[in-house]
Amino acid sequence: MSTTMTTIIMIVLLIVVFYFFLIRPQNKKKKQEKQMRESLKVGDIVTTIGGVVGTVCALKDETMVLEVGADRVRIEFSRWALSSIGAQTSEAPARN
């Protein structure tokens, strides 16, 4: 009887550890990403998961249109492809 109870306690403890170290942080991250995508507005400078940096010029339900480059080329991306709001900067020093 004692070994059965110990086994059950160990399984419950393992589930609790998985919840706090894997499931809960992932859910928090998904919630933050969803909030970031919902707060997106026209004129924001964004970076996609592919590294494309551009200015949001139109928003649709599931997509966004970015204006990139000096030629003002417009590209349509899915909102899930948004990596961050604000341009990513390189911390490497400039070469002369």
Side-chain angles (χ1 to χ4, degrees):
M1 190 72 155
S2 176
T3 57
T4 307
M5 190 60 108
T6 305
T7 305
I8 292 173
I9 291 173
M10 292 300 284
I11 290 173
V12 169
L13 184 64
L14 185 66
I15 291 170
V16 169
V17 167
F18 269 113
Y19 175 75
F20 281 106
F21 286 108
L22 297 175
I23 299 169
R24 190 167 179 248
Q26 183 66 27
N27 287 341
K28 286 176 92 174
K29 184 177 178 182
K30 282 183 182 181
K31 185 178 178 181
Q32 288 174 341
E33 289 174 350
K34 182 180 178 186
Q35 184 179 17
M36 177 182 62
R37 289 182 184 113
E38 289 174 353
S39 70
L40 193 62
K41 59 187 180 299
V42 174
D44 285 347
I45 296 175
V46 298
T47 304
T48 67
I49 58 175
V52 177
V53 178
T55 304
V56 177
C57 62
L59 292 170
K60 299 177 185 174
D61 289 336
E62 296 295 319
T63 61
M64 60 184 170
V65 178
L66 298 184
E67 195 171 88
V68 297
D71 295 337
R72 300 179 64 171
V73 175
R74 293 184 178 197
I75 307 172
E76 188 170 359
F77 288 95
S78 295
R79 281 196 184 205
W80 62 261
L82 177 65
S83 172
S84 64
I85 297 177
Q88 298 291 322
T89 58
S90 173
E91 295 186 20
R95 294 184 178 181
N96 291 333

